[in-house]
């Protein structure tokens, strides 16, 4: 499980798609979450990696300390002592072949806002996300090469659906 702690940037969909393509599940963390809220989500989701931005790094580090069991914190931009997603783009490593079962493998674990109680993770499989997109087809017909304008924010469940519809 990878925790994606980022506002809406170009790196957000890159990190999300790269992680799910590699077979990981992604839990999206609100960029304004306190370290305590962040740590609770890390523990609940069993996240082992964090992707964040350097301006949010202090909160991510503190959340990792509070949660424990975090293997590595990556940054989208750059920060001393952290691997950067931007640097990985230039990698010549071969893409791993990963067997994903769209019916059972969880692609995303967004958390509810908690308006009726404690925020809860919502397990979305690859198939559930694809089915949700197929339900939009009658209202928003698309074809090969079409582009869809996504609705922000991507760190909330509604935005996640829009993100998954992006090319």
């Amino acid at each position: 499980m990878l925790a994606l702690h980022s506002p809406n940037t170009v790196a957000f969909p890159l990190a999300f798609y790269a992680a799910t393509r590699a077979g990981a599940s992604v839990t999206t963390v609100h960029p304004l979450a306190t370290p305590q809220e962040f740590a609770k989500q890390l523990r609940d989701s069993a996240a082992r990696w964090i992707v964040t931005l350097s301006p949010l790094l202090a909160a991510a580090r503190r959340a990792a300390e509070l949660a424990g069991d975090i293997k590595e914190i990556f940054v989208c931009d750059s920060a001393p002592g952290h691997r950067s997603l931007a640097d990985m783009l230039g990698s010549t490593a071969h893409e791993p072949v990963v067997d994903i079962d769209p019916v059972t493998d969880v692609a995303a674990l967004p958390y509810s806002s908690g308006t009726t109680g404690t925020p809860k993770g919502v397990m979305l499989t690859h198939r559930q996300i694809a089915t949700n997109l197929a339900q939009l087809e009658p209202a928003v017909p698309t074809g090969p090469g079409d582009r869809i304008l996504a609705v922000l924010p991507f760190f909330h469940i509604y935005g996640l659906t829009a993100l998954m519809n992006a090319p």
Side-chain angles (χ1 to χ4, degrees), residues 1-18:
M1 178 70 65
L2 178 135
L4 181 51
H5 177 236
S6 173
N8 300 314
T9 67
V10 170
F12 188 104
L14 176 71
F16 185 93
Y17 283 129

Side-chain angles (χ1 to χ4, degrees), residues 122-147:
V122 180
M123 293 187 291
L124 300 176
T125 66
H126 295 265
R127 183 178 188 176
Q128 288 168 326
I129 293 170
T131 299
N132 184 244
L133 295 174
Q135 291 169 332
L136 294 174
E137 184 64 26
V140 185
T142 59
D146 288 348
R147 299 291 184 257

Side-chain angles (χ1 to χ4, degrees), residues 140-158:
V140 185
T142 59
D146 288 348
R147 299 291 184 257
I148 302 289
L149 181 63
V151 179
L152 301 176
F154 288 150
F155 50 79
H156 190 272
I157 190 167
Y158 301 115

Side-chain angles (χ1 to χ4, degrees), residues 68-110:
D69 294 329
I70 299 298
K71 294 182 179 188
E72 188 169 359
I73 299 174
F74 299 90
V75 291
C76 295
D77 44 1
S78 65
H82 293 276
R83 289 198 284 172
S84 166
L85 294 186
D87 293 341
M88 290 182 199
L89 287 175
S91 172
T92 58
H94 293 286
E95 181 179 337
V97 176
V98 180
D99 186 27
I100 296 172
D101 181 349
V103 175
T104 60
D105 290 346
V106 174
L109 185 68

